[in-house]
Amino acid sequence: MEIEPKKAPVERDPIRTIMSVISVLIVLVVGVIGYVVYDNSLRSETISKVVVDGSTVTMYYVGMFEDGRVFDTSIYEIASDDALYPKSFTFSMREESSYVPFEMTASLYGESGGTIKGFALGVIGMKLNEKNIIVVAPEDGYAVDPTMVETIDIVEAVPVVETIDETEFRTLFGTSPTLMALTPHYKWGWDVLVVEVGSGFVTFKNIPTVGQVVTPFGDPNDPDSPMGWDCAVESYDPLY
């Protein structure tokens, strides 16, 4: 049996070994840098593309009226901050988990689904990471529900003396009628004087002051829930 003679062990060159390790590290680093550069290159290429009809768009949004009051948003920090972002009376706070980026199809609106016309068309032409303000005209916004529309005269005459059902009085005024007692009017806010109670009916007299400012449709100066507008008493005839 032939025995192959052992080869003399080859001594490793420590310098060559160190250089090999350094070469591997450099290759790995270049790979990462190359990936980052490549990723940035792709991102740059994507940014050059704009939203067109049919594009799927994911975004954060804040919907507000012209006066700055927020009525909807996909950002929890804005939804929960009433000091910096006052809300409209139509705003409704949701669960925190529901505040996520909104996804929509550009140009898809109305009966086809999606969102309102002004929003669906307003994103067309935008680029990745771009911020924009889209002003939506009334005709391109939410459809008007005719049952929710009320016409109010600029000048309204209110009877000085009114008679209503006693049950209705309790419902409207939130209290029982007391003869010759003053109580704030449930709508106008001025004082009314109960002058007669009997047979299930209540008669009261409105006692406003000329020039008095009232807010029957909501207080526009209420910091928590601004709405409505100021109304002023132009004249008052107690004998009317």
Side-chain angles (χ1 to χ4, degrees):
M1 180 177 66
E2 294 183 355
I3 299 176
E4 186 175 354
K6 292 183 179 181
K7 295 182 179 180
V10 178
E11 292 185 6
R12 292 181 176 271
D13 184 346
I15 301 299
R16 184 184 298 274
T17 302
I18 293 174
M19 289 302 298
S20 297
V21 174
I22 292 177
S23 296
V24 172
L25 289 175
I26 289 175
V27 169
L28 289 177
V29 171
V30 170
V32 172
I33 293 176
Y35 173 77
V36 173
V37 172
Y38 180 66
D39 182 65
N40 283 340
S41 175
L42 285 180
R43 183 179 296 275
S44 176
E45 182 180 350
T46 304
I47 291 176
S48 66
K49 297 180 180 178
V50 298
V51 177
V52 297
D53 288 357
S55 295
T56 298
V57 187
T58 303
M59 73 194 77
Y60 289 103
Y61 71 88
V62 181
M64 61 181 64
F65 295 113
E66 286 184 310
D67 60 4
R69 289 181 294 165
V70 175
F71 63 83
D72 191 19
T73 180
S74 63
I75 305 172
Y76 175 75
E77 289 74 14
I78 291 179
S80 59
D81 190 342
D82 293 335
L84 292 179
Y85 304 97
K87 306 302 188 296
S88 71
F89 72 95
T90 59
F91 178 84
S92 179
M93 189 69 183
R94 308 189 302 271
E95 292 292 332
E96 182 176 355
S97 59
S98 69
Y99 289 92
V100 295
F102 176 64
E103 183 176 291
M104 59 175 284
T105 301
S107 76
L108 187 64
Y109 62 89
E111 295 181 357
S112 300
T115 182
I116 59 175
K117 180 179 179 180
F119 198 0
L121 299 181
V123 297
I124 295 177
M126 292 186 64
K127 300 176 182 179
L128 183 65
N129 294 327
E130 180 183 357
K131 295 180 181 179
N132 194 14
I133 296 177
I134 301 173
V135 179
V136 179
E139 60 271 19
D140 294 333
Y142 296 97
V144 177
D145 183 352
T147 63
M148 300 179 66
V149 177
E150 179 182 359
T151 301
I152 301 174
D153 294 331
I154 295 179
V155 178
E156 184 174 349
V158 179
V160 173
V161 178
E162 298 181 68
T163 299
I164 61 175
D165 180 271
E166 187 172 343
T167 301
E168 183 181 6
F169 183 94
R170 291 194 181 94
T171 300
L172 294 175
F173 287 86
T175 185
S176 297
T178 301
L179 190 62
M180 302 309 293
L182 291 173
T183 187
H185 195 283
Y186 66 91
K187 176 181 179 181
W188 299 103
W190 56 55
D191 285 338
V192 302
L193 177 66
V194 177
V195 295
E196 186 176 349
V197 180
S199 302
F201 291 91
V202 180
T203 300
F204 60 89
K205 182 178 182 180
N206 289 295
I207 312 177
T209 302
V210 175
Q212 181 178 356
V213 176
V214 294
T215 54
F217 307 106
D219 186 356
N221 300 312
D222 185 345
D224 296 325
S225 181
M227 58 185 295
W229 56 90
D230 292 334
C231 299
V233 178
E234 290 189 342
S235 63
Y236 173 60
D237 183 358
L239 301 179
Y240 180 77

